[in-house]
């Protein structure tokens, strides 16, 4: 049993289960510990050594970090179920011009101009903003995974087109790129266990044993080799 562990941070909305399951199969001797962390604190956590790697929401300060962008999320607006937006399949920012829109301090969407009208308060977190939406104090634009994470029966959400989107990435301190970090990068990138960057590639001899050479059609491999030598030694007339 190894005394090592791999600590993986993740921000709200990110579901690391599929990668964790692959890790458990591929690196069973090293336990993986999940470290939930607010989006605004994940970079500091990585720099302070609180995790070996982490799933972050871009943009982040990349100084001293290596970053692999993974996927982009749809932006949605969270509204009460009786709001007129709930009747639409999707909306634009212009459709929200007359609504008060909450802007939590942990918002990771890069706005050049805030949508809608400013709400009466600015909550510290997205979770608090969701409570205010339920109370009728405004609407909220978030990545779709956060709308799902904080789902309530009295709220719904709709996609918002032509808006900034949140991108999820894997990040780790560049100076702390360990073997275990490389192992996890390989899992996230979908490398197989026997790939050139895998942790336990199959020995070349074993690969050769698994792929025996088939006899040539119509005869043995030895006969084909003799025929080849005969042709090669024939003298021209």
């Amino acid at each position: 049993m190894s005394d090592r562990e791999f600590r993986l941070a993740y921000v709200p909305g990110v579901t690391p289960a599929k990668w964790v399951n692959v890790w458990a199969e591929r690196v069973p001797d090293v336990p993986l510990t999940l470290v939930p962390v607010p989006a605004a604190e994940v970079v500091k956590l990585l720099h302070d050594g609180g995790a070996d790697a982490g799933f972050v929401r871009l943009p982040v300060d990349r100084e001293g970090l290596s970053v692999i962008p993974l996927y982009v999320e749809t932006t949605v607006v969270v509204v009460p179920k009786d709001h007129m937006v709930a009747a639409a399949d999707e909306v634009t920012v212009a459709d929200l011009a007359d609504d008060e829109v909450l802007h939590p301090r942990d918002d990771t969407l890069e706005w050049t101009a805030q949508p809608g009208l400013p709400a009466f308060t600015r909550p510290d977190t997205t979770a608090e903003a969701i409570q205010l939406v339920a109370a009728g104090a405004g609407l909220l634009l978030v990545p779709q995974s956060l709308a799902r994470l904080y789902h309530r029966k009295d709220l719904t959400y709709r996609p918002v087109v032509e808006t900034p989107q949140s991108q999820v990435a894997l990040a780790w301190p560049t100076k702390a790129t360990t073997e275990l970090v490389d192992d996890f990068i390989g899992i996230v990138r979908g490398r197989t266990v026997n790939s050139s960057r895998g942790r336990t590639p199959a020995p070349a001899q074993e690969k050769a044993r698994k792929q025996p050479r088939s006899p040539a059609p119509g005869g043995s491999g030895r006969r084909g080799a003799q025929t080849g030598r005969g042709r090669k030694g024939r003298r021209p007339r």
Side-chain angles (χ1 to χ4, degrees):
M1 179 68 68
S2 173
D3 59 355
R4 297 185 299 169
E5 68 170 341
F6 184 72
R7 298 160 302 163
L8 178 65
Y10 67 101
V11 298
V14 175
T15 305
K18 63 179 180 180
W19 297 297
V20 173
N21 291 338
V22 175
W23 178 277
E25 296 174 359
R26 193 171 296 181
V27 198
D29 58 321
V30 180
L32 187 151
T33 301
L34 290 173
V35 184
V37 59
E41 299 175 16
V42 63
V43 170
K44 184 178 186 302
L45 179 79
L46 291 172
H47 284 308
D48 290 348
D52 299 292
F55 290 110
V56 304
R57 289 189 181 278
L58 301 180
V60 296
D61 183 357
R62 298 195 182 197
E63 182 69 28
L65 293 181
S66 295
V67 177
I68 301 176
L70 298 177
Y71 58 89
V72 176
E73 288 196 68
T74 299
T75 298
V76 301
V77 58
V78 181
V79 301
K81 281 193 171 180
D82 59 356
H83 193 280
M84 60 182 300
V85 164
D89 292 330
E90 62 181 25
V91 296
T92 66
V93 171
D95 294 329
L96 308 176
D98 296 330
D99 288 287
E100 292 186 359
V101 177
L102 296 155
H103 183 211
R105 297 184 188 279
D106 64 354
D107 183 15
T108 58
L109 299 174
E110 281 193 300
W111 298 101
T112 54
Q114 290 297 319
L117 303 173
F120 76 98
T121 185
R122 188 176 185 190
D124 289 330
T125 67
T126 297
E128 292 175 13
I130 291 288
Q131 301 299 322
L132 291 173
V133 175
L139 310 184
L140 176 65
L141 283 85
V142 292
Q144 183 169 300
S145 66
L146 291 181
R148 290 173 175 169
L149 177 66
Y150 299 118
H151 171 71
R152 291 175 50 119
K153 292 182 178 180
D154 53 349
L155 301 180
T156 188
Y157 60 86
R158 293 293 182 270
V160 185
V161 298
E162 300 177 356
T163 58
Q165 294 177 306
S166 173
Q167 187 170 27
V168 174
L170 178 68
W172 68 95
T174 302
K175 293 182 178 179
T177 307
T178 64
E179 179 189 80
L180 295 179
V181 170
D182 277 336
D183 287 341
F184 193 76
I185 292 170
I187 290 171
V188 169
R189 283 183 163 169
R191 298 191 193 113
T192 64
V193 68
N194 291 332
S195 68
S196 60
R197 294 285 300 276
R199 193 166 195 268
T200 54
Q205 292 180 350
E206 185 172 342
K207 288 184 179 180
R209 284 198 298 270
K210 290 180 180 180
Q211 299 176 356
R213 201 167 65 183
S214 300
S220 67
R222 182 179 179 184
R223 182 180 177 182
Q226 290 175 340
T227 304
R229 287 197 298 271
R231 289 175 181 171
K232 187 174 181 180
R234 184 180 299 169
R235 295 181 181 178
R237 295 181 179 178

